Amino acid sequence: MEFFPGAGTAPWVLVLLALAGAVIGGLTGRVLATGGYRIESDQAADLPRHWWWPAVLLAGLWVLMGWRIGDYAGWSALPAFLFFAWLAVALVWIDADVHRLPDGLVLPAYPALLVLVLVGTVGLGDWGALVRALACGAAMYAVYFVMAFVSPSSLGFGDVKLSGLIGFLVGWIGIYQAFVAVVAAFLVGGLVGLVLLVGRRAGLRSHIAFGPSMLVGAFVGMLVQYHVVA
């Protein structure tokens, strides 16, 4: 399957996506800034004060998804990727704050994303894409599950549950893209860890949230284009 950016995405559509993303991201940041996601077992410091950055990040991600996905499958695929971008922003905030990916966000995202991807599949008219998505989601979940079982200090079960979502959505684009998402996640995670160590913001035994790196890897995988040359 060859996948191309949405060449039919008009500039005014990208502007609307940026504005909508900024509004929704700002509202999301306001809600997250209340700390309602925190539980008693969380060992967290003061609440993040900069509620505005989710607005900037989500606006950028929605423009990126509008350009990358665009009118693919008659625009029916875009909502799934916009939803995932919103979820990513919320999870980055929470995981960076309390080093936890809450089930209250991740688990309901499974049926929500399944419905949205199903709509995109109907619009695409290629049921093989849905089968591939399910297979990639299951495979990525299994890989992360094994790694978390072998080294629970490195990966949490929240990361495992998030991996299934990433594999499912990125796998809908292509197997190669899902593979890139996994590799990119560990490269980004390694780079972040190195920067924190050099900057003395973390030690060798410090727990560094891996969810943000996984999500960055997912978007890297979405952006990759793979062309088979006969």
Side-chain angles (χ1 to χ4, degrees):
M1 173 183 175
E2 291 187 347
F3 193 81
F4 301 93
T9 309
W12 66 267
V13 174
L14 298 180
V15 171
L16 287 179
L17 286 172
L19 293 174
V23 171
I24 295 175
L27 293 174
T28 301
R30 287 284 192 180
V31 172
L32 291 171
T34 66
Y37 54 84
R38 289 185 170 187
I39 58 178
E40 290 186 7
S41 59
D42 288 334
Q43 298 179 356
D46 295 335
L47 280 166
R49 293 175 295 173
H50 303 299
W51 62 266
W52 52 266
W53 68 258
V56 177
L57 181 56
L58 189 60
L61 288 176
W62 275 21
V63 169
L64 186 65
M65 293 297 95
W67 169 79
R68 183 64 174 100
I69 308 301
D71 60 354
Y72 189 69
W75 298 99
S76 62
L78 186 58
F81 291 86
L82 297 182
F83 168 74
F84 181 81
W86 169 82
L87 179 69
V89 170
L91 291 178
V92 165
W93 174 300
I94 296 172
D95 202 15
D97 180 31
V98 298
H99 292 187
R100 180 172 54 84
L101 296 167
D103 287 346
L105 275 178
V106 176
L107 296 184
Y110 271 90
L113 205 56
L114 176 61
V115 171
L116 292 173
V117 169
L118 182 61
V119 171
T121 302
V122 172
L124 182 63
D126 178 12
W127 291 97
L130 181 60
V131 174
R132 181 178 59 244
L134 292 169
C136 287
M140 195 175 294
Y141 186 97
V143 169
Y144 272 81
F145 182 88
V146 171
M147 289 190 296
F149 180 78
V150 173
S151 181
S153 61
S154 301
L155 287 174
F157 200 61
D159 299 323
V160 177
K161 286 176 278 191
L162 176 60
S163 70
L165 285 175
I166 293 173
F168 177 66
L169 185 61
V170 183
W172 189 80
I173 300 175
I175 296 176
Y176 176 77
Q177 284 81 359
F179 174 77
V180 170
V182 175
V183 175
F186 284 97
L187 289 177
V188 172
L191 180 60
V192 169
L194 180 61
V195 170
L196 292 177
L197 284 173
V198 172
R200 296 183 179 180
R201 299 288 298 274
L204 292 176
R205 296 183 179 275
S206 299
H207 177 73
I208 300 173
F210 191 58
S213 298
M214 293 174 64
L215 292 164
V216 171
F219 288 107
V220 171
M222 293 177 194
L223 292 175
V224 169
Q225 295 185 65
Y226 181 58
H227 303 278
V228 178
V229 180

